[in-house]
Structure formats: structure tokens, C-alpha cells
Amino acid sequence: MSGQTAARAARPVTPTTILAAELDDLVRALDGADGAPGDLADRLRRARDLAAGLDRYVADCTTPESEDLARLAARTAETDWANRDAPDGAVFLEQEMLSGHVEGQALKFLVRLSGARRVLEIGMFTGYSALAMAEALPADGSLLACEVDEEVARFAQQSFGVSPAGQRITVAVGPAMDTLRALAQTVGGEPFDFVFIDADKAGYLDYVDYLLDSPLLSPDAVIVVDNTLMQGQPYLDQQRTANGEAISAFNRAIADDPRVEQVLLPLRDGVTLIRRAGR
């Protein structure tokens, strides 16, 4: 892993933060224009402040993160991911991939609410979401985190090693689908009560399909899928990135799947909760 660097502000990567940045640019442009109506500028400022203040207010009204999570977030923000010493073909990483305070607390809340004892995470990054969920598990609970990037897995395990909750986490390094297939063939293995997916977007549907058709889920298991708003791309009439196309197709497939019931929440970059229908 390359050296530490000064923490920088996260770039806008969610619908709310992108909207706030766009409105701020418009306010600046209008302030520099001659003859712009004053009431229009005031309305734009109110719209900007409404968007820009939302995430901060939500965070202020949410249970604070633990000291262990705060340290992990700080380590992630201070690491120069763009210039890390990684082999050719390594996964692209950036600090914006961190789940963060509010989403971490939401996952903890859901794990506790569901009564989960066994949690599966597909896509770990530096381990913030894994550690947040592990903090919500009972003493005999466990979490298996799948991470394809060996270097970032080591980074996460350093944080897990100094946290009591981190002792409940096991990391499986390698392609997540290989791990799922191996787990499904394990005789007598306990199923998972809660699954969090935040990995390669093109693989989302395959992961969910495999889980639903496998013995890996307990009867009332909850699957939580991250980034299902993907910067607003699925619902905007504009050219999409490959990830935007993948998420759009995933959302439509899940909405049309009679096996499940789901709700898409506008939390951060979108979080979809999925469970088997009729349970």
C-alpha cells in the first residue's frame, strides 16, 4: 500500500451531492452575470442549501459511529488510493467507496432488527461496512466478507485486528462467486441471515440469483444491495456508464422478479432491501 496523504474532501458521487454541486455552480454563474433577477438567485441559493445541507443534517441526527469505525474511515481518507502500488489489472479503488457513517449505522440497525447471527458481505473495500455490521452481531455471531483485492483486504484486516468486533469477521480473498459456490457445497454449513452486496455492479444480478437459488440463505434472510441509484443514472435520460447500465438492468430485473419483495431507499447512492416474497 502506498503512503499516507492529506485527507481530501470526498467528490460528489450520490444524487444529493451531485445536485448540490450543480446548484452551487449555477449560483456562482448567476452571481457573475449582469442583470440577473435577484429573486431567481435567491431561489437557487435556497435550492442549493436544501440539497447541500441534507446529508450533514441526517448525519447529525444519526447515532455517532464508534471510535473503531472513525479510525477506519480516517485511515481510508488519508490513503492515496490513486497512486497505490498495485499490480496491473487491480481493482480501481477510491475513498468514495467507503459506506460511511449514516449507511454504516443503517446496516447496524438492520442487522440488529433482523436478529441476524450470520452475515455475508460481497465486496468489502476497507472494511467499514463489515465492521459496522460486526458491531451489531451477538457475541456468537460471525461475518464473512468477500473481497477480490488482496491488498485492500490486508488494509481492512489491520483495522479488524484492533477492534473487539473485528474478531467476528473472516475475510475470503478472491472472486466472490467462487466463494459462494464453495460455501454452497459445504455440507452442514449454516445459512446466512443477512447479506450486504457492494461489489462489481455487473455481477449484482448473478449474486442475488445465485443466493436465492442456493442453500446459503436462511428462510427470512434479508439482502441489502448498495449503489442502486448509481448517481441518478438509472432514471435520467442521458448516456449511462457501464455501471449505470448494469444497475438499471438490475433494478428492473428485481422489480419484475416474483420471488422477492423489495424497496429502494434513497440512502446515500441508493440502497435496496430484498427478501423472499410471502415470508
Side-chain angles (χ1 to χ4, degrees):
M1 184 71 66
S2 59
Q4 303 292 297
T5 185
R8 63 170 177 82
R11 67 183 180 89
V13 294
T14 69
T16 303
T17 55
I18 293 170
L19 175 62
E22 289 285 347
L23 288 170
D24 191 53
D25 286 346
L26 288 173
V27 167
R28 293 174 187 274
L30 197 60
D31 285 343
D34 294 330
D39 62 333
L40 179 59
D42 288 340
R43 289 174 64 189
L44 269 178
R45 289 190 188 94
R46 285 197 297 271
R48 175 200 61 190
D49 294 344
L50 186 65
L54 179 61
D55 285 357
R56 183 167 54 251
Y57 183 74
V58 169
D60 287 344
C61 294
T62 297
T63 300
E65 63 191 353
S66 67
E67 291 183 3
D68 290 334
L69 287 171
R71 281 193 293 270
L72 194 160
R75 285 185 65 216
T76 302
E78 292 165 359
T79 297
D80 186 1
W81 299 104
N83 295 309
R84 70 182 183 127
D85 299 323
D88 291 342
V91 177
F92 170 76
L93 300 174
E94 59 178 343
Q95 74 175 66
E96 286 78 12
M97 292 177 173
L98 191 83
S99 298
H101 167 213
V102 174
E103 188 170 353
Q105 292 304 305
L107 289 168
K108 287 179 70 170
F109 200 102
L110 289 168
V111 168
R112 284 203 178 99
L113 189 66
S114 67
R117 287 185 56 257
R118 296 216 347 126
V119 173
L120 172 68
E121 180 174 62
I122 300 176
M124 180 181 66
F125 187 39
T126 58
Y128 189 98
S129 53
L131 187 57
M133 291 185 289
E135 289 181 346
L137 287 170
D140 63 345
S142 64
L143 185 150
L144 176 64
C146 303
E147 174 54 51
V148 72
D149 190 298
E150 185 175 353
E151 186 180 21
V152 79
R154 286 196 298 269
F155 183 102
Q157 287 173 311
Q158 290 171 0
S159 293
F160 299 160
V162 296
S163 167
Q167 310 310 309
R168 303 183 187 121
I169 302 171
T170 300
V171 180
V173 179
M177 192 59 76
D178 291 350
T179 300
L180 296 184
R181 292 191 180 103
L183 288 169
Q185 295 171 6
T186 301
V187 178
E190 283 190 76
F192 294 97
D193 310 305
F194 193 94
V195 181
F196 179 52
I197 302 176
D198 184 13
D200 53 305
K201 311 314 171 193
Y204 272 17
L205 191 56
D206 288 339
Y207 295 137
V208 173
D209 277 339
Y210 188 84
L211 288 167
L212 290 172
D213 292 335
S214 77
L216 294 176
L217 298 181
S218 63
D220 294 317
V222 175
I223 301 174
V224 180
V225 184
D226 201 14
N227 300 119
T228 48
L229 287 178
M230 188 46 65
Q231 304 175 10
Q233 291 184 42
Y235 61 84
L236 292 177
D237 185 19
Q238 63 183 36
Q239 186 174 3
R240 295 170 180 154
T241 63
N243 281 342
E245 288 288 358
I247 291 298
S248 179
F250 172 81
N251 289 342
R252 178 47 47 202
I254 293 298
D256 292 340
D257 192 333
R259 297 174 298 173
V260 299
E261 58 186 29
Q262 71 286 330
V263 58
L264 199 168
L265 303 176
L267 169 62
R268 201 166 177 258
D269 197 27
V271 172
T272 297
L273 312 183
I274 302 170
R275 68 193 297 269
R276 288 191 177 98
R279 298 300 306 178

